Amino acid sequence: MSTTTEEPRVLAASTTTATPRRAAAHRARRIVLPALVLLAGLALWVAVTYLVLDERRRFLLPPPWAVAHTGLVDPNSRSAIAAALTQTATVALTGLGVAVLVGVTIAVLMSQARWLEESIYPYAVIVQTLPIVAIVPLVGLWLGFNFSSRVIVCVVMSLFPIITNTLFGLKSADPGLHDLATLHNASRWTRLRTIAFPNALPAMFTGIRIAGGLSVIGAIVSDFFFRQGYPGIGRLLDIYRANLNYEGLIAAIFASSSLGIVVFWFIGWLGQRVTGAWTGPGR
């Protein structure tokens, strides 16, 4: 009897100790594997700079340490990139906030009436397929080359994924829950607040994460084409290109990419907190 009762305890103890080990191994793998890819990319970069390009053309792809010195050490370049990146981040986040308000509102309206979805959705698709390179100069000519015009470009770029993902989440709630709400004579607002909207949160934040990267791209593209007003990172990229400052150009490109990564990560983190708080055990 003692042997049979102790066997489950041994198995439970081994399972308990194995689970943290697997979690630690998984966390380590998520750090080590991207680090190895980064090292391989840097090695390839150095090889192209010194083995593929001759000395006369080496300025086209300066080595990583030259780019790091320009972007992180040189005070003039560092301050210029930081100021431009701050301006671009302000435009992108403002446009993303407006796009979230507009996109979620449109998706909620479309989910409440079939005729509204059939009326609005084709135009949402049209907005997504507009060539942004052609639209940006028109926005500048119509509305001026100011902060508001840059925000409008970001909204146009980031609106569609918010609408489609939120609408998908609102319409994918469990039909059994709607049947239960019907039995209790729940109003349309009650259904939206207690069933549809909580169910739509994961899909909505997925759309916002996609829209965050698109909003950053919209801010950079608008700044690149407007060439007026306080310069953001797009204008700085054009200045470095015109001056053949490839160290600064590549450093600014990495800064732009870092902004998109930070926005993507933050929205993912925020989505986990919001969906966890909304759908947790207390709900």
Side-chain angles (χ1 to χ4, degrees):
M1 292 294 293
S2 61
T3 303
T4 57
T5 55
E6 288 180 358
E7 286 180 356
R9 295 181 183 177
V10 174
L11 292 175
S14 62
T15 304
T16 304
T17 56
T19 300
R21 291 178 181 175
R22 286 197 297 266
H26 179 67
R27 288 193 298 267
R29 188 169 60 249
R30 292 181 63 182
I31 296 174
V32 171
L33 293 180
L36 292 176
V37 174
L38 176 61
L39 291 175
L42 292 175
L44 178 62
W45 182 352
V46 173
V48 172
T49 301
Y50 288 99
L51 300 180
V52 177
L53 298 176
D54 55 48
E55 189 174 355
R56 292 175 299 176
R57 301 173 58 219
R58 197 165 292 164
F59 71 95
L60 295 173
L61 186 63
W65 46 86
V67 174
H69 181 274
T70 300
L72 300 176
V73 179
D74 183 73
N76 295 326
S77 298
R78 184 181 62 209
S79 60
I81 292 174
L85 196 65
T86 301
Q87 176 70 9
T88 300
T90 303
V91 173
L93 294 177
T94 303
L96 180 62
V98 175
V100 169
L101 292 176
V102 175
V104 171
T105 301
I106 292 175
V108 169
L109 292 175
M110 291 168 63
S111 69
Q112 298 302 302
R114 183 70 178 178
W115 66 271
L116 277 175
E117 180 181 355
E118 294 174 349
S119 302
I120 298 175
Y121 196 81
Y123 296 100
V125 176
I126 290 174
V127 169
Q128 175 66 15
T129 58
L130 289 174
I132 194 63
V133 175
I135 293 300
V136 170
L138 290 178
V139 173
L141 291 173
W142 292 341
L143 304 176
F145 304 94
N146 49 31
F147 181 85
S148 300
S149 299
R150 288 171 163 82
V151 170
I152 290 174
V153 173
C154 295
V155 173
V156 172
M157 286 281 292
S158 57
L159 191 61
F160 184 75
I162 298 175
I163 293 177
T164 54
N165 282 271
T166 304
L167 181 62
F168 171 78
L170 290 171
K171 296 176 67 175
S172 61
D174 187 356
L177 295 177
H178 284 290
D179 294 339
L180 182 62
T182 301
L183 291 175
H184 289 277
N185 295 321
S187 64
R188 187 183 293 268
W189 165 247
T190 301
R191 292 170 182 264
L192 177 64
R193 180 175 57 86
T194 60
I195 299 175
F197 196 75
N199 183 82
L201 283 175
M204 183 179 72
F205 273 98
T206 299
I208 296 174
R209 292 182 81 178
I210 299 171
L214 294 175
S215 184
V216 172
I217 295 173
I220 295 172
V221 170
S222 62
D223 188 62
F224 188 87
F225 278 94
F226 282 177
R227 299 172 182 267
Q228 296 184 26
Y230 190 80
I233 200 72
R235 180 62 179 146
L236 196 63
L237 288 170
D238 191 41
I239 293 173
Y240 285 151
R241 178 198 59 80
N243 294 333
L244 301 180
N245 184 358
Y246 289 97
E247 291 90 350
L249 178 63
I250 297 176
I253 291 173
F254 278 118
S256 305
S257 177
S258 299
L259 175 60
I261 292 172
V262 169
V263 171
F264 185 85
W265 174 85
F266 176 75
I267 295 173
W269 173 85
L270 183 63
Q272 290 179 352
R273 296 301 180 272
V274 172
T275 55
W278 197 289
T279 60
R283 289 288 177 182

